[in-house]
Amino acid sequence: MDWSNDFAPLSLSSSDTLPDLMLTHLSSWGVVTLVGNDAKSYLQGQVTCDVVQLEKTDSTFGAHCDAKGKVWSVFRLFHHNDGYALFEPKSLIEKQLAEIKKYAIFSKVEIAQSQDVLLGLFGKDAEAVIDSLSPERGDVRPIEGGSAVKIDQQRWLLVLEQSHAISFIDNSIAEKVEQSLWRRFDIEAALPIIEQNEQCEHIPQALNLQALDGISFKKGCYTGQETVARAKYRGINKRAMFIVKGHTANELDEDLDLERAVGENWRGAGKLIASYRFSDGETMGLVVLPNNLESDTQLRLSSQPDSIWSIQPLPYSLDDE
């Protein structure tokens, strides 16, 4: 029996209550690992976050950029086994891995795509389960077969060697759900998600990385730093990521282009970089828009012009300190 087939879609309307404990296989996500004596210093020179200051019990957002400051990947970084792990959408990894390996020949570091299984445990009972797996406390914990990483108040990521993952799935009392529900929580929390088709399209601030402590403006040099610093100190960034909501007649596949109202006309605004649709048609998404738009600006999908979308409040502030 294939354990990966155990996870079924959970049909939810926008008003339904969620189960207290859910488990999903994050098959569209992956992990890049860095191991070796130079892993810390090498990574420090490649990404926007401060690797040197990262405690073993914490995780942090970060971005890996090209020389122009455009994002190859947005990830969650944490200590894993004997090195570091970058948790990110799997579609990014092929290009990003090639880029982050470019100068590794000069350092004692091994960089690879992990073969670990990624599980998401979530719901109000999730933390109690994690507490039972490890005597340690903190947002990142070593557990048998891998690591547990806190995403938010009700979500934990498990990065496990396959045999331990299968054992955990077999013994879990959690309702096994399809991974799209995990994306719903990412959207509600306005956590940046980019896939392969968005690589090298945005600078980190356009994805709100500065508001999520994913950029250190005090660390040393890293690839793309000049652009990222100019965006902060010269105010050159004119875009930000927003939550939007509307109604759709069907699941969104390719119909992701949004338009915004300009007087009586409509102009291209941006493309949904992530979306989640409830069974009653209510749909939410993330989109990068001009950061000076009025909060009551009307939006619509170009493919479904009869349904008006709106910009929703972010759960964090975009104001600079």
Side-chain angles (χ1 to χ4, degrees), residues 120-136:
L121 186 72
F122 51 129
K124 72 179 188 66
D125 293 342
E127 186 150 344
V129 174
I130 300 300
D131 287 346
S132 73
L133 298 177
S134 171
E136 299 191 27

Side-chain angles (χ1 to χ4, degrees), residues 4-76:
S4 63
N5 293 328
D6 291 346
F7 303 90
L10 183 62
S11 181
L12 293 169
S13 74
S14 54
S15 60
D16 284 344
T17 301
L18 288 166
D20 292 340
L21 187 63
M22 296 163 285
L23 180 67
T24 191
H25 177 212
L26 297 169
S27 59
S28 66
W29 292 78
V31 161
V32 171
T33 57
L34 294 93
V35 179
N37 292 339
D38 295 337
K40 180 190 294 185
S41 58
Y42 184 78
L43 195 54
Q44 181 80 338
Q46 295 290 318
V47 299
T48 60
C49 53
D50 195 334
V51 183
V52 171
Q53 298 299 320
L54 183 64
E55 299 288 344
K56 288 201 170 185
T57 54
D58 294 331
S59 71
T60 182
F61 272 104
H64 175 215
C65 304
D66 67 10
K68 297 179 180 179
K70 296 296 182 71
V71 172
W72 284 111
S73 71
V74 174
F75 52 79
R76 184 179 293 271

Side-chain angles (χ1 to χ4, degrees), residues 260-267 297-298 300 308:
R260 62 185 175 98
V262 182
E264 297 182 357
N265 300 312
W266 293 87
R267 295 181 182 172
T297 298
Q298 292 188 327
R300 69 182 188 184
I308 300 299

